[in-house]
Amino acid sequence: MTIPALTGPSLKKFRCSLLTWFVEHKRDLPWRKTKDPYRIWLSEIMLQQTRVAAVIPYYENFLARFPDIQSLARSRAEAVLSHWAGLGYYSRARNLHRAANEIVAGHGGNFPNEHEAALALPGIGRYTAAAVLSIAYDKPLAVLDGNVARVLARLGALRGDLRAPSTWQNLETTAQDLLAQKSPGDWNQAMMELGATVCTPKSPKCGECPVAPWCRARKLGIAEQLPEARKKRATVQVTIAAAVLIDPKGRTLLVRHRDNEGALFSHMWQFPAVESTDEKQSLLAKHLQDKLGVKIKPGQMTPLKSARHAVTFRDIRLLPFLIRVERLPTIDGAQTPALLNFGRLAISNATRKIARVAIAHVRVLE
Ligand code: SF4
């Protein structure tokens, strides 16, 4: 991929124009006030698949509880997950915690400043390694994420699927060629900021763009058409039947599924649940009997209002059932919190949605 006239003095002017714009227009974000690699790393992980506005309160709460890598490594995974609860994509939190332990064990508690060492940590790919090392340590590594790829595709009027491996590799080379070597951290942030605020997916603001003179898509009048739409992975419909057991004291039962047990939210506390293909209660009743030893009598399961939950390509229909029991079963490692207050237990948004439906139902009956 080539961007017209981006060599020699023109490239210098291009870099200068974008960096000046960044200094004047960058958003005031908490992770931009620091060069601490831990804080930058945390922000980059939280920002994956999550909007800036949603991340800010989580970022601040997380740092109040885990102010440095050592405190994160010392904590139990459960505590880390409970501070992540609601942010979604929980493998990010588990990897963050594992990586903190590896950093303490193998790097003296300091985020490694070598590319290969950073890439070897759990949950750190090329993008995150380049972002942390360039911003915290001024390493000349260009980032390539969706925002940067869109800007580059428009600058070079590149057609086709940007995520196709050869195209992505091509974009990585272009991003690295454009990188301002003396200020790689600012440069990377400027490219991402341009994509997030000016060169947006829909209606790019070309009139306000600091690199408009170099943009081939703008000249051709095709900025809005690029990047071309990717072939979407087909949505998979999933139905989950969940049991909200409740005892006379208002306590319920939360369990944790292990990996590969068919659960969608492994490691998080959740209502006993089973994937189902229809609305029949028999699968859930069988699951409760086989796994928890709870025998359900006819008519004991009250169907509650269903809820929807989306996770990547899965469209999940949640079917909760309220089941009143004299006594909750005694299960090793399970939790029996009050349905009205789960405290700081690490629960997923799907579990929260089911709890809300059940609480609303119980309150109507009170
Ligand atoms: Fe994007 Fe328009 Fe700027 Fe080109 S001129 S980089 S399309 S905002």
Side-chain angles (χ1 to χ4, degrees):
M1 172 190 160
T2 53
I3 299 172
L6 265 182
T7 51
S10 184
L11 178 55
K12 214 171 155 190
K13 263 177 105 175
F14 172 87
R15 286 173 176 153
C16 184
S17 180
L18 182 60
L19 285 170
T20 307
W21 169 84
F22 181 61
V23 170
E24 288 168 4
H25 294 89
K26 67 181 171 190
R27 289 168 295 174
D28 183 22
L29 302 173
W31 44 88
R32 290 207 170 133
K33 297 181 173 80
T34 180
K35 291 273 266 184
D36 177 354
Y38 168 59
R39 287 167 183 251
I40 293 161
W41 169 36
L42 177 65
S43 71
E44 290 297 343
I45 299 294
M46 284 189 164
L47 286 164
Q48 287 167 12
Q49 329 248 14
T50 313
R51 288 175 306 108
V52 166
V55 164
I56 292 174
Y58 278 92
Y59 174 81
E60 286 170 347
N61 286 341
F62 198 91
L63 283 174
R65 172 66 180 81
F66 311 106
D68 47 38
I69 292 179
Q70 286 76 5
S71 58
L72 178 59
R74 268 197 313 271
S75 303
R76 289 175 53 234
E78 174 67 24
V80 178
L81 281 168
S82 82
H83 280 74
W84 205 274
L87 202 53
Y89 303 99
Y90 298 96
S91 59
R92 297 184 295 177
R94 288 193 289 274
N95 281 332
L96 191 77
H97 185 233
R98 277 186 214 129
N101 277 290
E102 288 190 19
I103 291 171
V104 167
H107 301 281
N110 299 312
F111 193 95
N113 65 2
E114 292 302 327
H115 197 201
E116 290 306 316
L119 281 173
L121 294 169
I124 300 209
R126 293 168 72 81
Y127 165 80
T128 309
V132 178
L133 296 190
S134 64
I135 299 168
Y137 297 128
D138 294 318
K139 294 275 176 183
L141 296 164
V143 296
L144 182 65
D145 68 350
N147 279 330
V148 176
R150 181 172 59 256
V151 172
L152 295 178
R154 286 175 174 165
L155 284 169
L158 183 68
R159 293 195 177 269
D161 179 359
L162 303 188
R163 297 277 175 177
S166 62
T167 309
W168 196 256
Q169 225 168 20
N170 197 350
L171 289 167
E172 281 182 331
T173 308
T174 305
Q176 192 61 37
D177 289 345
L178 296 182
L179 181 77
Q181 301 280 327
K182 286 189 188 147
S183 44
D186 278 355
W187 177 261
N188 280 332
Q189 291 183 81
M191 286 291 282
M192 290 189 278
E193 189 78 348
L194 187 73
T197 63
V198 175
C199 194
T200 45
K202 285 187 187 140
S203 313
K205 304 177 189 81
C206 302
E208 302 168 23
C209 179
V211 296
W214 294 274
C215 182
R216 187 181 265 180
R218 184 188 65 88
K219 272 187 201 126
L220 297 172
I222 56 169
E224 294 232 27
Q225 295 160 29
L226 298 181
E228 288 178 339
R230 296 178 67 194
K231 282 190 199 108
K232 266 201 179 169
R233 185 169 178 178
T235 303
V236 176
Q237 307 287 338
V238 179
T239 300
I240 304 261
V244 183
L245 299 170
I246 186 163
D247 75 1
K249 289 185 175 159
R251 289 177 308 195
T252 190
L253 180 81
L254 296 181
V255 295
R256 241 183 338 198
H257 291 259
R258 288 187 298 277
D259 284 336
N260 308 323
E261 224 183 11
L264 287 170
F265 312 107
S266 57
H267 298 281
M268 307 295 282
W269 292 107
Q270 58 191 292
F271 295 107
V274 67
E275 197 171 323
S276 165
T277 47
D278 53 33
E279 297 189 24
K280 280 187 198 147
Q281 302 167 15
S282 51
L283 270 180
L284 182 60
K286 184 172 181 328
H287 176 78
L288 293 174
Q289 176 148 12
D290 293 352
K291 298 279 178 184
L292 308 179
V294 177
K295 197 162 170 25
I296 304 294
K297 296 186 203 109
Q300 200 183 352
M301 294 171 88
T302 307
L304 302 176
K305 211 172 136 206
S306 66
R308 292 213 96 89
H309 187 68
V311 179
T312 56
F313 59 92
R314 281 181 287 227
D315 177 16
I316 303 167
R317 185 153 175 257
L318 301 166
L319 292 178
F321 292 88
L322 190 75
I323 304 168
R324 293 192 183 270
V325 292
E326 277 310 308
R327 207 173 298 113
L328 293 171
T330 309
I331 311 285
D332 266 359
Q335 297 276 353
T336 55
L339 178 62
L340 295 179
N341 182 11
F342 288 167
R344 292 212 65 92
L345 284 178
I347 62 167
S348 68
N349 279 337
T351 301
R352 212 176 292 279
K353 282 181 189 171
I354 294 170
R356 250 186 249 134
V357 170
I359 289 168
H361 180 85
V362 169
R363 283 203 168 129
V364 165
L365 297 180
E366 276 173 0

